[in-house]
Amino acid sequence: MIQTYNQHVVKKGNKSLVLQTIQEYTPISRADIANRTGLNKGTVSSQVSELLKEKLILESGPGVSSGGRRPVMLLFNQLAGYSIGIDIGVNYILGILTDLQGNICNEKMIQFKDLPYEEIIQELFIIVDALVSSTPPSHYGIVGIGIGVPGTVNTDGEILLAPNLNWKNVHLKEVMEQKYNVPIQIENEANAGAYGEKKFGAGKDSDNIIYVSVGIGIGVGLILNGQLYKGNNGFSGEFGHMTIEKDGIKCRCGNQGCWELYASEKALVNSAIQKGIEMEIGQELSLERLNELANNGHKEAINAFEGIGDYLGIGINNIINIFNPEQVIIGNRLASSHRWLEEPIRKKEKHALLTHQKDLSIDFSTLSTHSTALGAAVYASENFLTIDIQEA
């Protein structure tokens, strides 16, 4: 029988639905898949047979009987392949190796300062090569690499502008595909971080999330109605460059008074230097050193954090009033300073519209610095599973 286009689409959709159900509810029986999906038992059985042949699922021992023969349970084969997730920061690269369920198997990190594009790419190769060489044997091997970058990325994966890295019109996707010969996903780091928090972190139970990534700069990822919102051309979330001081400091993006100039890790360090802390302690300041000083009761260090917290709260209020989210998650490197940032942010929260404060929670990331890398790894895994089903 000749299969029509519509039949082919339905078959792909059914197979994807069966796999997603097994992945979410593993271990699960064929009968329970039919009950959860609404598919008939014959369709479920057919799709399960294909997925077993493709090594994406496994059969395990019998489950608990509900009155008849004990059912054979199905497991998602999370070790069928592995993904690499990369977070390229302004002064670091974090890489993780995960299985298809997002469990971290290995990680590597490199820190640097003021490197040009060519040298950052060489550092990136070192990270990826190390993760590839550490990958356990599997049926599919490395199924893809996801990369989060602190900049504007179009829907084709081209990095149009990453001002804090001095990158413009960078074709990193092509470079990586040529070297590693696997699918490459390039995404804005805040979008990837938002997705990581939704899948694995503080946002698992929310459908309307504002993820604020606070590092050297600030990016915002938007989960609206359970889906990542990327805007018309993929450029949404550039709230780090919204004007917060009308005649403020000049930004690398060309604007003045951008939010990230007043509420980021870089702004924190600059504020501490202006307060004379660097001269007082006789060493170069960093976020880690300021956390240490604040934890030891250093008043000026605590004041620096509180000042940054005030500006963070102002920007977050603007976003709350626009999107009316159920949850705001503050992540990336400044999540480690939640002890000193939480109170000033919550004070500013009270200035949001009363209607928007209802049922709103403001939380700090449970994944800390790993949100973006995990989100990027999930992009790679999901892309592989989608392609595998389409081509089967």
Side-chain angles (χ1 to χ4, degrees):
M1 181 180 72
I2 298 174
Q3 181 170 271
T4 66
Y5 172 75
N6 284 341
Q7 288 173 322
H8 182 61
V9 170
V10 168
K11 183 180 179 183
K12 286 193 301 180
N14 289 343
K15 188 175 179 184
S16 177
L17 182 58
V18 169
L19 180 59
Q20 288 172 6
T21 303
I22 296 170
Q23 186 174 5
E24 184 172 356
Y25 296 103
T26 189
I28 188 172
S29 69
R30 289 167 174 80
D32 283 342
I33 294 171
N35 289 335
R36 287 189 177 277
T37 62
L39 299 174
N40 65 54
K41 292 182 179 179
T43 298
V44 170
S45 180
S46 173
Q47 302 307 324
V48 164
S49 295
E50 289 189 22
L51 291 168
L52 285 167
K53 289 178 183 176
E54 294 162 4
K55 311 294 185 185
L56 292 174
I57 63 173
L58 303 168
E59 288 183 326
S60 71
V64 177
S65 170
S66 58
R69 181 186 301 174
R70 295 172 69 189
V72 174
M73 304 304 287
L74 300 168
L75 305 172
F76 176 64
N77 185 11
Q78 61 198 47
L79 303 182
Y82 294 84
S83 296
I84 291 175
I86 302 290
D87 175 12
I88 299 180
V90 177
N91 54 8
Y92 68 89
I93 300 173
L94 170 65
I96 60 172
L97 177 74
T98 74
D99 63 25
L100 297 181
Q101 199 72 301
N103 298 304
I104 297 176
C105 306
N106 193 14
E107 65 178 80
K108 299 289 182 183
M109 185 174 184
I110 295 174
Q111 293 183 314
F112 53 81
K113 187 174 182 180
D114 297 328
L115 288 185
Y117 168 78
E118 293 77 12
E119 292 186 37
I120 291 177
I121 297 307
Q122 292 305 312
E123 297 289 353
L124 175 60
F125 290 162
I126 291 171
I127 289 270
V128 174
D129 289 345
L131 294 173
V132 169
S133 65
S134 72
T135 306
S138 66
H139 187 72
Y140 290 102
I142 297 294
V143 302
I145 300 171
I147 303 174
V149 296
T152 305
V153 181
N154 69 17
T155 51
D156 294 324
E158 181 185 357
I159 304 165
L160 301 184
L161 181 65
N164 288 322
L165 287 171
N166 290 318
W167 289 6
K168 189 173 183 179
N169 298 324
V170 170
H171 299 274
L172 180 59
K173 181 176 181 178
E174 295 176 9
V175 172
M176 295 296 288
E177 284 176 343
Q178 289 173 6
K179 182 169 177 62
Y180 294 104
N181 196 31
V182 297
I184 306 293
Q185 310 291 310
I186 309 288
E187 185 56 85
N188 169 269
E189 63 87 17
N191 285 346
Y195 202 55
E197 288 290 336
K198 172 63 180 168
K199 296 290 286 189
F200 305 111
K204 286 189 289 187
D205 298 324
S206 300
D207 284 330
N208 291 282
I209 303 166
I210 304 299
Y211 172 73
V212 184
S213 173
V214 192
I216 295 296
I218 295 179
V220 174
L222 308 170
I223 303 286
L224 304 180
N225 298 322
Q227 302 293 320
L228 182 66
Y229 179 76
K230 298 176 66 172
N232 186 39
N233 295 309
F235 305 149
S236 68
E238 291 294 344
F239 286 95
H241 296 286
M242 67 176 170
T243 302
I244 207 161
E245 290 285 358
K246 181 173 68 74
D247 297 315
I249 306 166
K250 183 80 171 178
C251 182
R252 289 186 180 185
C253 75
N255 192 14
Q256 281 183 272
C258 291
W259 187 27
E260 69 175 38
L261 300 178
Y262 298 86
S264 63
E265 178 184 346
K266 187 175 183 179
L268 171 70
V269 172
N270 287 341
S271 173
I273 290 172
Q274 290 172 8
K275 294 177 185 299
I277 298 176
E278 188 173 56
M279 293 182 64
E280 174 191 331
I281 64 174
Q283 60 180 266
E284 187 175 357
L285 284 178
S286 65
L287 174 62
E288 291 75 15
R289 183 61 176 130
L290 285 168
N291 274 328
E292 182 183 344
L293 289 170
N295 287 333
N296 289 331
H298 192 290
K299 290 185 179 180
E300 289 300 330
I302 294 171
N303 288 340
F305 278 114
E306 290 176 344
I308 296 302
D310 282 341
Y311 272 112
L312 269 176
I314 291 169
I316 288 170
N317 275 0
N318 290 341
I319 301 171
I320 289 171
N321 286 340
I322 294 169
F323 289 101
N324 183 29
E326 59 186 298
Q327 186 179 29
V328 174
I329 302 173
I330 301 162
N332 206 335
R333 283 176 50 80
L334 252 69
S336 66
S337 309
H338 60 88
R339 177 181 176 185
W340 311 109
L341 298 174
E342 188 167 4
E343 185 177 349
I345 289 172
R346 292 198 181 281
K347 283 182 178 178
K348 294 297 181 183
E349 176 193 356
K350 296 175 182 177
H351 297 163
L353 294 171
L354 288 176
T355 51
H356 290 48
Q357 293 180 42
K358 185 179 180 182
D359 302 322
L360 170 68
S361 64
I362 296 181
D363 303 300
F364 285 82
S365 168
T366 58
L367 303 176
S368 186
T369 55
H370 285 62
S371 304
T372 292
L374 274 166
V378 173
Y379 284 137
S381 296
E382 292 182 349
N383 179 65
F384 160 71
L385 294 173
T386 301
I387 290 174
D388 184 82
I389 285 173
Q390 289 176 344
E391 294 182 348

